[in-house]
């Protein structure tokens, strides 16, 4: 997998073990995002989750929530997914979270098979996506990642490998990471003791664009089905818009964010201004030409 870069956006992940956090100091230390533990298993909630989520959001960090998986069955995974989403809602509406919800699946205490590990992970991820309308991401360790097959490669990877020199290993499901937790012994102003340090595979503007892909102002979930399908009545207009560069060729059935709408309006206005300028130049040219008898 790829290396880290000094240009990558910096982040942390926290739970109750970090105690009370001064989020303003964390932000001033150059941290731009945080994943916050929300829940574990089918009933446990992190007692610091709401406090951490609201404090980090108020300080201007991009926030996401994660769930530590305990399930060893598909049924249990779905139950935990529901518990996770309900816990997230206690901090704020789902659209209030900037980053995708994350599944923390890093061990196998029940000793289930590799096939069962994949089934359990898929059940949790699919249920979270159904409940939130946003595709979640998967957190795991460098070694445990070898358990996941290619079918889970559609989910972005948050990988743990604690090293300053060695990159995470390529795995059947992934050859690149989206987030990399590279140490569990970081020190950041505003946090007493050690904290996990992470980077995003891009700059801060890249991360903000990544976060905005799943945002909804009204707090409602985007419909998980049909976002990649063009309605028959809109197909010709959609193709023309894509061919003219007004829109990309992704998510034709998904709601448009305010940023995407602004880009579209800007492109259309720029083209309109160009057409007006061309017409004015054409008129001026005609006015300068002598009359021909």
């Amino acid at each position: 997998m790829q290396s880290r870069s000094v240009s990558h956006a910096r982040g942390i992940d926290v739970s109750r073990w970090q105690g009370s956090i001064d989020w303003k100091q964390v932000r001033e230390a150059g941290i731009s995002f945080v994943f916050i533990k929300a829940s574990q298993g089918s009933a446990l909630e992190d007692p610091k989750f709401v406090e951490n989520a609201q404090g980090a959001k108020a300080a201007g960090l991009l926030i996401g929530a994660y769930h530590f998986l305990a399930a060893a069955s598909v049924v249990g995974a779905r139950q935990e997914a529901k518990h996770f989403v309900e816990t997230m809602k206690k901090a704020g509406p789902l659209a209030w979270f900037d980053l995708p919800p994350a599944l923390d699946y890093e061990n196998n205490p029940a000793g289930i098979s590799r096939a069962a590990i994949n089934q359990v992970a898929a059940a949790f991820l699919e249920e979270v996506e159904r409940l939130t309308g946003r595709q979640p991401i998967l957190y795991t360790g460098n070694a445990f990642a070898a358990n996941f097959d290619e079918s889970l490669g559609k989910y972005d990877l948050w990988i743990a490998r604690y090293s300053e020199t060695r990159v995470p290993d390529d795995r059947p499901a992934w050859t690149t990471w989206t987030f990399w937790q590279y140490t569990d012994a970081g020190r950041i102003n505003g946090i007493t003791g050690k904290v996990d340090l992470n980077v995003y595979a891009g700059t801060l503007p890249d991360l903000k664009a990544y976060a905005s892909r799943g945002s909804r102002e009204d707090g409602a979930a985007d419909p998980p089905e049909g976002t990649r399908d063009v309605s028959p009545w809109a197909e010709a207009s959609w193709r023309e818009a894509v061919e003219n560069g007004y829109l990309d060729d992704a998510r034709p059935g998904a709601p448009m964010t305010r940023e995407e709408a602004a880009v579209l309006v800007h492109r259309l206005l720029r083209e309109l201004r160009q057409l007006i300028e061309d017409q004015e130049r054409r008129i001026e040219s005609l006015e300068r030409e002598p009359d021909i008898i």
Side-chain angles (χ1 to χ4, degrees):
M1 298 187 190
Q2 78 270 33
S3 300
R4 290 191 288 124
S5 167
V6 293
S7 66
H8 287 160
R10 298 171 58 210
I12 58 175
D13 59 272
V14 300
S15 68
R16 66 187 181 91
W17 298 111
Q18 275 66 52
S20 295
I21 298 173
D22 186 328
W23 288 106
K24 184 174 182 293
Q25 286 192 38
V26 171
R27 183 72 181 87
E28 291 172 348
I31 298 300
S32 55
F33 69 91
V34 56
F35 282 103
I36 303 162
K37 184 176 181 180
S39 51
Q40 179 172 335
S42 59
L44 293 177
E45 299 177 11
D46 190 290
K48 286 286 186 178
F49 172 62
V50 172
E51 176 185 330
N52 282 333
Q54 294 179 349
K57 186 77 172 181
L61 279 77
L62 299 173
I63 68 168
Y66 76 89
H67 172 89
F68 188 93
L69 190 76
S73 69
V74 167
V75 172
R78 290 180 180 142
Q79 290 174 341
E80 291 193 23
K82 293 173 183 176
H83 171 54
F84 174 39
V85 173
E86 289 305 311
T87 303
M88 288 178 64
K89 292 177 180 177
K90 294 182 179 180
L94 295 177
W96 188 71
F97 292 87
D98 307 287
L99 304 176
L103 164 62
D104 179 346
Y105 197 177
E106 59 184 87
N107 58 20
N108 182 21
I112 61 177
S113 67
R114 185 171 180 270
I117 288 173
N118 283 269
Q119 292 168 359
V120 166
F124 182 94
L125 294 164
E126 289 166 3
E127 184 67 5
V128 168
E129 185 166 5
R130 186 186 73 81
L131 294 170
T132 66
R134 189 167 192 184
Q135 188 175 76
I137 65 176
L138 194 155
Y139 166 91
T140 192
N142 183 68
F144 199 75
N147 289 293
F148 301 109
D149 62 33
E150 293 86 348
S151 67
L152 295 177
K154 64 182 179 180
Y155 298 102
D156 288 342
L157 174 66
W158 174 16
I159 188 75
R161 182 162 204 175
Y162 302 151
S163 175
E164 291 293 332
T165 57
R166 294 182 299 165
V167 300
D169 296 322
D170 286 354
R171 295 305 187 194
W174 304 280
T175 57
T176 59
W177 49 266
T178 301
F179 296 92
W180 178 2
Q181 184 189 84
Y182 62 91
T183 182
D184 62 349
R187 297 283 182 173
I188 294 292
N189 289 344
I191 297 177
T192 301
K194 300 176 181 179
V195 65
D196 298 335
L197 300 183
N198 301 266
V199 289
Y200 168 72
T203 62
L204 180 55
D206 294 332
L207 178 59
K208 289 179 177 178
Y210 174 82
S212 72
R213 292 209 303 258
S215 65
R216 285 286 299 276
E217 282 193 330
D218 57 10
D222 293 342
E225 299 296 334
T227 59
R228 296 179 177 85
D229 301 327
V230 182
S231 300
W233 57 268
E235 188 170 359
S237 296
W238 173 262
R239 184 51 49 198
E240 184 178 354
V242 171
E243 289 174 353
N244 282 281
Y246 303 140
L247 299 167
D248 61 28
D249 199 15
R251 304 181 304 113
M256 181 178 287
T257 67
R258 295 179 68 189
E259 287 178 326
E260 290 169 331
V263 169
L264 176 59
V265 170
H266 174 73
R267 289 174 180 173
L268 291 172
L269 289 175
R270 182 176 58 192
E271 185 166 312
L272 179 60
R273 285 194 295 269
Q274 186 63 51
L275 288 172
I276 293 172
E277 290 172 2
D278 290 345
Q279 187 66 19
E280 289 175 343
R281 283 194 294 269
R282 191 173 296 110
I283 293 172
E284 290 175 0
S285 177
L286 290 172
E287 290 176 345
R288 287 195 299 268
E289 291 181 1
D291 293 335
I292 300 176
I293 299 176

